[in-house]
Amino acid sequence: MTVPEDVASYPFPLPHDTYRISANVEEAGVERATEAGAWGSTMLHVGPDHAEAIVRRRTIFGREPRRFVAAPHARAASWDAMLWLLERMARERPGEAQLEGDGARRRWRNHRLGVEAEFVVGDDASLPEHPLAFAAAQVEEDVVVLGDRGDALWLDAGLVTAASVWSLAFDAGMSFAELHRPVPGDEARRVFERAERFLLRLHPGEAWRRLNWGLQLDDEADLSLDAFPAWGPRRAALDVVDPGREVFLRTEVQHLVKLPLTGSVLFLIGVRPLSLGRVATVPGWAGRLASVLETLAPGTSAYKELDTLGPLAAEWLRRQAHAPAGAAAT
Amino acid sequence: MPGPDVSGPPPRLVLAVGERAGAAAAERCAARDRVRVVVSADDAATVLDAELPRLTTGWRIVGVGTTADAAAVRAAALARGALGEEVTVWPLDDSWRVRVHCGVCHHQGESRRDALAACPACGTALAVSDQESRVHGAVLGVPRA
Amino acid sequence: MLELRVADVATPCAGVRSVTLVGDGPLPSYPPGAHVGLEWAPGRLNPYSLTPTPSPRGPTPRDLPPGLDPEEYHLSIALRPDGEGGSRRVHALAPGDRVRATPPRSSFPPVGTAAHHVLVAGGIGVTPVLAHAAWHAFWGNSFEVLLVQRPGVTPHAADLRALAGDRLARATDRTAVPALLDEALRGAPWNSHVYTCGPPGLIAAVAATARRAHWVADRVHAEPFVHAPATGTPFTAVLRRSGREVAVGAGESLLDALDRAGVAAPRLCRQGVCGECVTEVAAGRVEHRDTVLGDDERDGHMALCVSRAAVGETVELQL
């Protein structure tokens, strides 16, 4: 039986039967095998629904301009981020995207999206929009630029349309420590302090990644506070009939890049929802996810808003393990 | 503005919101401080834009007013490049009212701390959280279903 | 490590050698004020600041951000006859020679939020300052340069003049330095930052002047190019892996003592800044002098280059 592509390339985030918040960073661009296949040889994800994902975030950003922020002082860092993203895309998909020219004038071609643009590096007027917004429109990932100054990181710019219960417009301008203030407990706080020191110490050009995860209803990636009216009431009511189809594991593939020209940190968040039904097709995944949900520390469970959804998902996953083969397919 | 007088403490630009704050500021300030009184916290940005180009590095900024107003002055100063260490606030009340930033529509209004409020702009029910943004001078209003 | 080839050498002024290094194709980009660790003997690296590519139109072509996709790396190195040998080795390089270097490291970047940048250079400290000036000129940032110069021995003075124009002020006489600093720092517009690269005396003078003008410490930045000695009370380091004991004298750093004993330990900046030499400590209290470790990391780690055992303690290292 062939494994469907979304499962085969899924970055399943739970290597153990228990989970606690940790920095869990590893080198970026390194392929990692899973029980169902492998993921991670590229940093920018291009899945079967790539074009739809790009259109979807364009629509959100077009409707709500506050999904984009850029401090005036983030100009150089935004160009730095843009060049890094376009070069990365061209390197990972040479047949589909090219960045040409080595002087100030460069030509970008993204055949998959039908985008062609010529611009002058550092000249904002040569682009149809802000460099970071331009680059963000070429990739599926949400992009955030963190400036490195005064021995801390600061949220200087970003385009985010799939935040998980946070809002870019509120978080703009915050320090890394302020951004992570809602984390549960001193241990988690220390994890984020160490993570910030780690990021501050990276050398220009280095790229790392980590996985984050949660559960959500439906496969809509945009769980921002901004979009709360669309998803909040349903989450509160929790009227789930078929968890296999309605509850999704939300894995966030987060890349952390120390940008080469400015030393700012580019933070990329790729959201990969997978239905519990799909998770259950890989018995190792179903078992570990159920076990993690059953043993989650209360603070972590509350932080991830899993107090109700977690037990519900765990129970469903356990039931599938005892159900006749084929019952879990969706 | 001349360069700072190096012999004493740093000179301060004191921005007071409202008459009561102006009186409180006048009482606490030294001759070397510059005191400006504005009617509303929304005017802080305009006054800073006019004042800061006349100042040198070394000056401090003080926001005087209700907790919410003083925080708004601090936010305006931080947005113009002040470092945290250079800005202080003299709140006039015991901080039970704060500026609340709606997580859904980003409107800012005032509310009691630890309260439930409805956003006056979009009507969403908000839980007033303790997550504070110094650059907004506001705490997050988390939408509740 | 980058495998590089010497494309050109020059002597911009007495005692200073400029070296142009190339690789196969464009080299990694770098932020202003960055350096590379140049390997001058196996495993021995010295940090040297990257300066912008000179061109007939000035030190950098105005049409490309300085540091982006460079074809060449440019270093200018002052000869230190009494040094450990790194600068002597660089001064002996000839076109065609092969050298190895770390990719660029950033330890002295400009602060993007500043409304104005005051750059202070003394002697060979002009190298990162030149990179900062080129950066600000390209991005249209407000800046000025104060150059403390002894006649005839500052390289790149002409490059700086070309970049900064009338934003360059110079002191050629030591007695003129305090007034130059005082005027610049007391009159600096709101939201300025000051960056100094030069000898410890100049860095201290800038910091003192800034403090007198009520600048907060976070606005004052410096990159020393003379390593402050990491000296103190003698102590013993026990190396867990070999069981060896290394005596560290009063006048040397732990890293110096390890070198003397022939123990390989990573390092780069030797100022407690880069974190390259951070090593696990199995036992013993440490007097931390670095600026790289966070409080929670200090429990169980130390920077070999500047930190020492607390007085009366022996440290046991995972080496």
Side-chain angles (χ1 to χ4, degrees), chain C residues 206-218:
Chain C
V206 170
T209 308
R211 206 161 39 240
R212 272 199 308 278
H214 302 300
W215 290 42
V216 295
D218 281 352

Side-chain angles (χ1 to χ4, degrees), chain A residues 41-277:
Chain A
S41 61
T42 61
M43 299 187 204
L44 301 174
H45 182 247
V46 177
D49 59 348
H50 181 71
E52 291 91 318
I54 297 238
V55 167
R56 193 186 53 81
R57 69 121 47 107
R58 259 285 170 212
T59 309
I60 295 174
F61 170 45
R63 191 178 61 218
E64 299 170 48
R66 300 198 66 151
R67 303 301 188 100
F68 170 71
V69 297
H73 58 257
R75 213 177 122 224
S78 296
W79 277 98
D80 200 7
M82 173 181 127
L83 290 171
W84 189 91
L85 283 165
L86 300 190
E87 272 165 19
R88 190 77 227 165
M89 181 63 90
R91 190 179 318 170
E92 293 184 353
R93 312 232 151 219
E96 298 163 27
Q98 289 105 35
L99 184 65
E100 286 161 356
D102 51 4
R105 189 165 288 280
R106 313 249 166 139
R107 178 196 293 273
W108 167 248
R109 269 184 291 223
N110 187 339
H111 304 292
R112 210 180 320 97
L113 304 177
V115 175
E116 263 204 59
E118 223 181 275
F119 57 85
V120 178
V121 176
D123 178 4
D124 295 16
S126 69
L127 279 172
E129 57 192 331
H130 191 281
L132 196 64
F134 180 82
Q138 311 295 313
V139 298
E140 279 181 37
E141 285 76 8
D142 278 339
V143 298
V144 174
V145 173
L146 300 158
D148 169 354
R149 55 184 175 273
D151 208 25
L153 294 172
W154 302 85
L155 200 167
D156 281 345
L159 197 156
V160 175
T161 57
S164 178
V165 203
W166 58 283
S167 170
L168 179 71
F170 179 73
D171 285 1
M174 282 192 187
S175 70
F176 193 85
E178 288 170 318
L179 289 172
H180 294 98
R181 193 124 304 156
V183 300
D186 290 343
E187 192 194 336
R189 188 152 304 158
R190 276 194 296 275
V191 166
F192 283 102
E193 279 166 19
R194 275 199 298 274
E196 183 177 30
R197 301 225 54 88
F198 171 82
L199 293 172
L200 287 168
R201 241 201 258 162
L202 290 183
H203 296 307
E206 284 186 349
W208 295 77
R209 74 177 175 219
R210 68 183 293 266
L211 296 177
N212 197 8
W213 68 278
L215 293 181
Q216 64 177 68
L217 295 179
D218 308 326
D219 64 350
E220 174 56 56
D222 181 14
L223 300 182
S224 61
L225 293 179
D226 313 60
F228 181 85
W231 59 264
R234 167 133 159 77
R235 178 182 278 209
L238 213 67
D239 54 345
V240 177
V241 177
D242 180 356
R245 290 174 190 276
E246 293 172 56
V247 179
F248 284 72
L249 171 64
R250 174 191 175 100
T251 299
E252 293 186 357
V253 182
Q254 304 180 342
H255 280 92
L256 302 149
V257 182
K258 190 81 165 171
L259 290 170
L261 194 59
T262 58
S264 295
V265 173
L266 174 64
F267 182 44
L268 300 172
I269 312 160
V271 179
R272 305 280 298 274
L274 190 71
S275 69
L276 287 192

